[in-house]
Amino acid sequence: MYKLLPQFNRLTSHDIPVSKITPEDFLSEAIFAGDSFVDLEAAFGRVDGVVKTATGYCGGTLKKPSYREVCEGTTGHTEAVKVFHDKRKISYRSLCDIFWETHDPTNRNYLNFGLSTHQRSAIYYSKEEERKQAQESKIRRQMKLNKRIVTKIIKLDSDFYLAENQHQKYYLQKCCWLIRESLSLRSTSQFVESNIACKLNGILGMDERLMAEELTRYLRSNELPTQTKQACEEIIQDLKIRVVNDRS
């Protein structure tokens, strides 16, 4: 249910160095945890004003944990996503409001964090103002629900460790290796730093009924490497064929 996420804004960024998309003075970071980090990363990747994303591990004590170690539930880490955003285009408050749409924040399984699950719903803050905005956003959301939100708002007092390469831009890697090759994405840092990868991963994580339409819009409004554009066009054609076959 929560994987079929809504489209929040149109995508307009170009894959040039992030420092040129957003000057350092306007680039901010936010960290969220909500169920699987691959779906959470894709959801935030679709948001206008988000310039790059990274999956990783947050909240534990072990340095540089592996995915296996985190899943075992003994390190104190949870799957999380670091969101780099242009605060001129989208505020921390708005990111918090979007966060509630990416997963079920009332899922009581998250209360078993550290016992039977390594996943949780959490907003990590580094400043008091962020804590206030996250809490206010939580209250606004709670007023719309008839079940209690179990999301924790937690002071960020530990390092955020990047997840392994295969967990970065999961849908992009899963869907089309041609896109990955055309963008020369191999290392973890390359997957994290690519703005095109951020946006395409978000689109490829959408429901197939929306994916073709959004890919088409993205191609029209962005200049992409020739091979990347061709790979996206092939995906669009495949999706259209599937739709026709499903109707017949």
Side-chain angles (χ1 to χ4, degrees):
M1 174 180 177
Y2 285 89
K3 182 180 176 181
L4 309 183
L5 300 167
Q7 171 65 27
F8 298 110
N9 291 290
R10 299 300 176 212
L11 308 174
T12 57
S13 299
H14 297 275
D15 194 31
I16 57 179
V18 169
S19 60
K20 292 186 179 295
I21 297 174
T22 305
E24 187 174 348
D25 289 346
F26 299 103
L27 189 64
S28 293
E29 301 176 6
I31 297 177
F32 302 91
D35 206 70
S36 169
F37 53 16
V38 299
D39 289 325
L40 190 60
E41 181 184 37
F44 279 115
R46 291 193 287 276
V47 178
D48 186 32
V50 171
V51 296
K52 60 181 181 177
T53 56
T55 58
Y57 313 116
C58 193
T61 56
L62 182 67
K63 291 185 177 180
K64 297 181 179 180
S66 67
Y67 182 72
R68 178 184 59 80
E69 290 171 327
V70 171
C71 287
E72 288 174 351
T74 59
T75 69
H77 293 88
T78 190
E79 295 182 30
V81 173
K82 181 178 285 190
V83 179
F84 300 82
H85 63 104
D86 186 334
K87 57 188 178 183
R88 297 171 301 179
K89 295 182 177 181
I90 188 164
S91 65
Y92 182 82
R93 169 179 172 168
S94 295
L95 288 176
C96 289
D97 289 343
I98 289 171
F99 171 70
W100 310 114
E101 303 289 344
T102 65
H103 68 301
D104 180 3
T106 69
N107 187 342
R108 295 184 63 80
N109 289 336
Y110 298 136
L111 296 176
N112 295 321
F113 173 75
L115 297 174
S116 60
T117 181
H118 69 284
Q119 294 178 340
R120 72 188 313 177
S121 177
I123 299 175
Y124 291 89
Y125 68 91
S126 57
K127 304 174 184 176
E128 176 61 19
E129 182 58 29
E130 290 178 349
R131 185 197 68 78
K132 291 180 180 178
Q133 291 184 32
Q135 185 62 39
E136 290 170 357
S137 177
K138 181 178 179 180
I139 292 172
R140 288 194 299 272
R141 186 63 174 182
Q142 184 64 79
M143 292 175 66
K144 299 178 181 180
L145 302 175
N146 57 14
K147 292 194 294 184
R148 183 172 71 88
I149 290 176
V150 299
T151 303
K152 303 294 184 182
I153 299 175
I154 304 170
K155 172 71 174 178
L156 182 63
D157 56 5
S158 60
D159 292 328
F160 176 91
Y161 294 103
L162 288 177
E164 297 86 336
N165 189 304
Q166 65 267 31
H167 302 299
Q168 304 293 338
K169 309 300 178 289
Y170 173 81
Y171 289 105
L172 176 63
Q173 296 199 63
K174 174 184 176 183
C175 183
C176 187
W177 67 271
L178 284 174
I179 294 179
R180 183 185 67 204
E181 290 300 312
S182 69
L183 294 173
S184 299
L185 301 176
R186 292 176 176 81
S187 69
T188 298
S189 62
Q190 287 172 334
F191 277 104
V192 170
E193 293 298 322
S194 172
N195 177 258
I196 286 181
C198 173
K199 295 305 178 183
L200 288 181
N201 182 68
I203 296 172
L204 295 173
M206 299 175 74
D207 181 79
E208 288 188 355
R209 294 168 296 177
L210 304 174
M211 195 187 301
E213 180 181 352
E214 203 53 50
L215 264 180
T216 300
R217 288 196 184 100
Y218 185 69
L219 293 183
R220 288 174 180 170
S221 58
N222 293 272
E223 291 186 13
L224 304 182
T226 301
Q227 289 182 326
T228 305
K229 183 177 181 180
Q230 291 174 345
C232 289
E233 289 172 342
E234 288 181 12
I235 293 174
I236 292 170
Q237 290 304 313
D238 287 343
L239 289 169
K240 290 180 177 179
I241 293 172
R242 290 183 203 174
V243 171
V244 172
N245 290 339
D246 289 342
R247 290 175 178 174
S248 60

